[in-house]
Amino acid sequence: APQPGSASSSPHQPTVIICIGMAGSGKTTFMQRLNSHIHTVKAPGYVVNLDPAVAQLPFGANIDIRDTVNYKEVMKQYNLGPNGGILTALNLFTTKFDQVLNLIDKRAPTLDYILLDTPGQIEIFTWSASGTIITDTLAATYPTVVAYIVDTPRSTSPATFMSNMLYAVSILYKTKLPFVLVFNKTDVVDHAFAVEWMTDFEAFQAALEDDESYMGGLVGSMCLVLEEFYKGIRVAGVSAMTGHGVDDFFEKIAEARTEYETEY
Ligand code: GTP
């Protein structure tokens, strides 16, 4: 776990942004957008790709897990399926994470951001020892925040929305890091409905009751959990495709960093 005060004692430290999201949420496109944004505003950044199975990265990564491990070879060698291959590749990479950290440490004084892209299969990062080691190691040294990417057009049904939010809660409680909820693809569907559901409990209840998969009491209890979660959460609506909302996202990241510095 992060050591209290360890991050704020040094003069200049970059903010680590760990991008986590369900497959297809637009994580890679979002990373590309962040990358081009920091170039535009001349904020030096460092990009780490932790997805061994990504076929093509639309941005240059400073550190790429694919340079160290070939997950298809790993699958063959250990007789694994794709998910086992990705997990094992991440584990092998994590055994060398001290070297990665050395590289980052050397560059850190000149950097504003360190961006981490995580595997497309979200649970490989969020529920593995490797994911925890990488997250905790970075968070012990640098102000670290989690950006949880939501596929907004695919979250418009209240039941799906709630599932996605509960997943976000589980990641928040696992990492215990400041959190920015990123509603992506707002060029397709505006995230205003999500903001309404997060701030107006009754509006969400009403939407749920109209949903055919409504499960009464259980849902009511989960809503109470979510209400608590929403209170402390930062929300940004973005379009990774058009770049809309990215300035606001970085403002939320700055707030999250302040939270890290005061609480960790
Ligand atoms: P995995 O690698 O499978 O985890 O996918 P990913 O989460 O990295 O998503 P990716 O960036 O590959 O995007 C998934 C799909 O969503 C692609 O077809 C993108 O073009 C599309 N997409 C991503 N961001 C946006 C957006 O802001 N607006 C729209 N309209 N489409 C988007």
Side-chain angles (χ1 to χ4, degrees), residues 117-144:
D117 196 6
T118 60
Q121 297 307 116
I122 186 168
E123 68 280 7
I124 287 175
F125 189 77
T126 54
W127 294 100
S128 68
S130 296
T132 306
I133 289 168
I134 292 173
T135 305
D136 289 354
T137 306
L138 285 169
T141 316
Y142 300 105
T144 302

Side-chain angles (χ1 to χ4, degrees), residues 22-29 51 120 184-185 187-188 238-241:
M22 304 234 178
S25 60
K27 227 164 10 68
T28 303
T29 314
D51 187 353
N184 188 29
K185 312 193 187 181
D187 58 295
V188 183
V238 305
S239 166
M241 194 116 100

Side-chain angles (χ1 to χ4, degrees), residues 200-253:
D200 183 349
F201 184 63
E202 281 169 18
F204 184 64
Q205 281 278 0
L208 264 178
E209 281 165 31
D210 290 339
D211 197 298
E212 50 192 35
S213 57
Y214 182 61
M215 285 194 298
L218 176 61
V219 165
S221 316
M222 290 195 289
C223 283
L224 292 178
V225 172
L226 286 176
E227 248 197 319
E228 201 56 40
F229 169 64
Y230 295 154
K231 274 185 209 155
I233 217 71
R234 286 170 203 83
V235 175
V238 305
S239 166
M241 194 116 100
T242 68
H244 186 260
V246 171
D247 288 323
D248 180 50
F249 166 79
F250 275 100
E251 278 170 29
K252 298 290 157 58
I253 289 293

Side-chain angles (χ1 to χ4, degrees), residues 6 9 36 40 53 69 81 84 127 129 132 154-155 166 173 193 237:
S6 60
S9 51
S36 86
T40 308
V69 275
W127 294 100
T132 306
R154 278 206 249 157
S155 303
L166 289 169
Y173 280 91
F193 76 90

